[in-house]
Amino acid sequence: MSIFTPTNQIRLTNVAVVRMKKAGKRFEIACYKNKAMSWRSGAEKDLDEVLQTNTVFVNVSKGQVAKKDDLSSAFGTDDIYTSSDS
């Protein structure tokens, strides 16, 4: 009997799911729980330390990644590294 371990599966631990609803769609990102609190208080300045992954999800727990069409219609771009709000 062999145990199958998927190599492309990423386990998210100590996760805080941050949700945002924009243009009728809901988007989620996975953050470290303690770092997200530090980010909100202003103590943490590096966003890469807060995020667990650089992926924008529709559902973090199911691993459903947001479509590029949905990102571009809601934010004006499908590039996750730029901000249309600033």
Side-chain angles (χ1 to χ4, degrees):
M1 181 176 185
S2 67
I3 298 174
F4 176 70
T5 306
T7 57
N8 62 350
Q9 189 175 27
I10 299 172
R11 295 279 182 200
L12 299 175
T13 58
N14 187 23
V15 67
V17 178
V18 179
R19 294 179 181 92
M20 178 181 195
K21 193 169 187 178
K22 188 161 183 170
K25 303 278 185 182
R26 191 175 87 181
F27 301 100
E28 298 179 351
I29 56 174
C31 300
Y32 292 106
K33 193 176 290 187
N34 53 349
K35 293 286 187 172
M37 297 303 290
S38 298
W39 175 266
R40 288 182 178 178
S41 69
E44 181 65 51
K45 301 293 183 199
D46 188 12
L47 190 59
D48 289 331
E49 294 292 322
V50 178
L51 298 176
Q52 285 198 357
T53 179
N54 291 334
T55 308
V56 178
F57 294 94
V58 174
N59 190 330
V60 170
S61 62
K62 291 183 182 177
Q64 296 174 340
V65 179
K67 297 178 184 174
K68 288 188 181 249
D69 294 339
D70 292 341
L71 288 172
S72 62
S73 68
F75 298 103
T77 182
D78 61 353
D79 184 12
I80 61 172
Y81 297 106
T82 59
S83 173
S84 63
D85 294 335
S86 48

